[in-house]
Amino acid sequence: MTYAHITGWGKALPEKILTNDDISKLVDTNDEWIRSRTGIRERRIAADEESSATLAVDASLRALEVANLNAFDLDLVIVASSSPEHIFPATASIVQDGIGAINAGAFDILAACTGFVFAVNMAAQAIKSGSMQSVLVVGAETLSRFVDWTDRNTCILFGDGAGAFVLQASEEPGGVFSGVMHSDGSGADLLSIPAGGSKEPVSEITLAEGNHYIQMEGKGVFKFATRVMASATKEALEKSGLEAEDLSLVIPHQANTRIIEAAARGLKLPMDKFMVNLDKYGNTSTASVPIATVEAVESGRLNRGDKIAFVAFGGGLSWGALTAEWTGPYPIERKVPQKRYLFLAKVRSVLLRALRVVEGMLWGHYGRDRKL
Ligand code: ACO
């Protein structure tokens, strides 16, 4: 039997910090309101030269470093993002090139903040079925670019960042046990970026109406979230034959402390069983679960053999949970040091681009009159 283990993890966060006091200079709000209603103190904001893909590449390289793996060995790159680089190409394709995953397929998953949990579930299924050996899953966001900085209902909530897992196949029992995935499209209007897609392409009207920004019916999302966080975790536990008391740690989507407290009550677990770091980063959507996981490892709260649950909710509406046993990196000998590998991959990428230009010129010169 093949198991899917999480063997690498990494995070990337922009340096710029935006505090609640900073936001109170933009809209009519204050630190006390934001902290008491959400738990958020500050969030990170991407610099101009950063994007969802650059943050994803940084987090991915760190995850590969932990897994002691070259990107050469990856079979698949999945990026979950609510703020992708483009409608297409997939952000995953840019990440695939950026890390030199030359043997990997690459695609994006869109399930708002639940995207990372869904993507890890799909990666684990691909590995358990025997069709893949090593998969990189990334959650990456620059949601600050889709926030209306005059809307106090939403601009206090979101932050930028990325997190990544490497999943690998092994005969050793452990890794991802079970996953549940749910959607309810009847609630799609509760949380959306209405314009910029095919239904409402960006136009002067959509810009004037601010429809290219995040729109949210906060109370509706809050009620939905408090309901599904505990139920999804219970379902995933049941599927894997575990009880809530077996869990060493729950790593929830970091949206609002009050939502996490409701999940704790629903699962009858104390809050110290929940990893919470949203005070520092706000809601980083798909990136929040992997960033929280990395910080759980760094702070010694997540150790080999621990039984854990990941749970998330988001626009769609979507929600899902996973249970897993934390294993940590395999004792693998990396074939090429990462810096050298990355340099070679970059050279290859530049040469491929140059070749495409030359090919285009030759085609233009010799192929013009060719009958197809
Ligand atoms: N500062 C001060 N006052 C505010 C602010 C603010 N930033 N925002 C709203 N208020 C006011 C409102 O206008 C309202 O005033 P009123 O009573 O005079 O009308 C009052 O505060 C209460 O507003 P509510 O919306 O009822 O506040 P609530 O306690 O519900 O908290 C919040 C709002 C924090 C948005 C909460 O509803 C929430 O967290 N919802 C979930 C949001 C979420 O998690 N979204 C992300 C989902 S993940 C994804 O897919 C991206």
Side-chain angles (χ1 to χ4, degrees):
M1 190 158 166
T2 307
Y3 296 86
H5 292 259
I6 299 162
T7 59
W9 47 87
K11 65 174 180 178
L13 288 149
E15 268 182 29
K16 187 181 170 192
I17 293 172
L18 191 73
T19 64
N20 291 345
D21 284 338
D22 294 331
I23 293 187
S24 70
K25 290 176 192 131
L26 304 173
V27 289
D28 180 16
T29 189
N30 57 73
D31 177 56
E32 203 283 323
W33 194 96
I34 301 174
R35 268 192 297 114
S36 62
R37 297 289 177 116
T38 69
I40 301 165
R41 289 170 184 273
E42 57 190 42
R43 67 286 292 144
R44 300 296 176 95
I45 304 294
D48 289 347
E49 66 278 10
E50 287 173 320
S51 68
S52 295
T54 67
L55 293 168
V57 166
D58 290 349
S60 302
L61 290 175
R62 284 174 196 142
L64 287 164
E65 192 72 46
V66 171
N68 215 16
L69 205 70
N70 284 133
F72 180 89
D73 296 310
L74 292 173
D75 300 310
L76 182 64
V77 175
I78 310 178
V79 172
S81 181
S82 310
S83 48
E85 205 84 344
H86 316 283
I87 288 186
F88 68 84
T91 305
S93 299
I94 296 156
V95 174
Q96 177 268 329
D97 181 58
I99 62 173
I102 59 174
N103 295 317
F107 65 85
D108 286 3
I109 252 182
L110 175 55
C113 302
T114 322
F116 186 82
V117 167
F118 279 9
V120 171
N121 190 25
M122 298 321 296
Q125 300 305 327
I127 288 172
K128 287 180 185 182
S129 74
S131 69
M132 305 248 164
Q133 289 292 309
S134 306
V135 181
L136 175 74
V137 182
V138 195
E141 303 291 354
T142 39
L143 274 169
S144 63
R145 309 234 161 106
F146 298 91
V147 160
D148 178 354
W149 291 102
T150 65
D151 175 12
R152 69 177 183 173
N153 291 305
T154 52
C155 76
I156 57 164
L157 298 176
F158 298 101
D160 300 337
F165 284 178
V166 172
L167 282 93
Q168 285 182 273
S170 164
E171 302 307 309
E172 191 188 317
V176 177
F177 291 138
S178 67
V180 293
M181 300 165 63
H182 290 292
S183 289
D184 175 7
S186 70
D189 290 346
L190 289 181
L191 184 55
S192 67
I193 299 178
S198 57
K199 183 174 183 224
E200 225 183 299
V202 173
S203 66
E204 277 175 25
I205 298 167
T206 62
L207 289 175
E209 289 175 349
N211 284 353
H212 55 300
Y213 291 132
I214 297 169
Q215 317 231 325
M216 186 182 75
E217 207 274 273
K219 265 208 179 345
V221 177
F222 188 89
K223 276 189 222 150
F224 145 73
T226 50
R227 192 163 39 81
V228 299
M229 291 283 266
S231 68
T233 312
K234 280 181 192 165
E235 241 186 287
L237 284 166
E238 204 174 297
K239 260 181 126 176
S240 53
L242 292 172
E243 302 288 337
E245 305 79 65
D246 298 326
L247 296 173
S248 305
L249 197 64
V250 180
I251 302 180
H253 172 43
Q254 308 284 313
N256 186 318
T257 316
R258 292 188 292 144
I259 293 174
I260 298 174
E261 284 166 352
R265 283 195 297 276
L267 289 165
K268 298 193 174 62
L269 287 176
M271 268 303 275
D272 63 11
K273 287 256 180 160
F274 286 74
M275 180 66 201
V276 182
N277 66 352
L278 61 87
D279 54 321
K280 294 188 289 180
Y281 307 125
N283 179 346
T284 56
S285 190
T286 60
S288 86
V289 164
I291 291 172
T293 307
V294 174
E295 299 206 340
V297 176
E298 286 169 352
S299 59
R301 291 185 67 186
L302 187 48
N303 297 294
R304 202 179 173 83
D306 284 352
K307 307 272 192 308
I308 54 171
F310 303 103
V311 55
F313 69 92
L317 298 167
S318 59
W319 65 104
L322 297 166
T323 58
E325 182 178 305
W326 192 251
T327 27
Y330 294 155
I332 288 176
E333 279 283 314
R334 196 191 288 121
K335 290 164 204 124
V336 187
Q338 196 180 78
K339 264 199 176 137
R340 196 183 315 157
Y341 179 81
L342 209 57
F343 174 74
L344 293 172
K346 284 236 157 73
V347 170
R348 179 181 179 276
S349 175
V350 169
L351 286 176
L352 281 176
R353 276 166 219 254
L355 202 64
R356 221 161 275 133
V357 173
V358 173
E359 202 179 37
M361 282 160 51
L362 288 177
W363 181 256
H365 191 71
Y366 295 112
R368 206 177 303 142
D369 301 324
R370 202 162 132 182
K371 302 265 181 300
L372 292 174

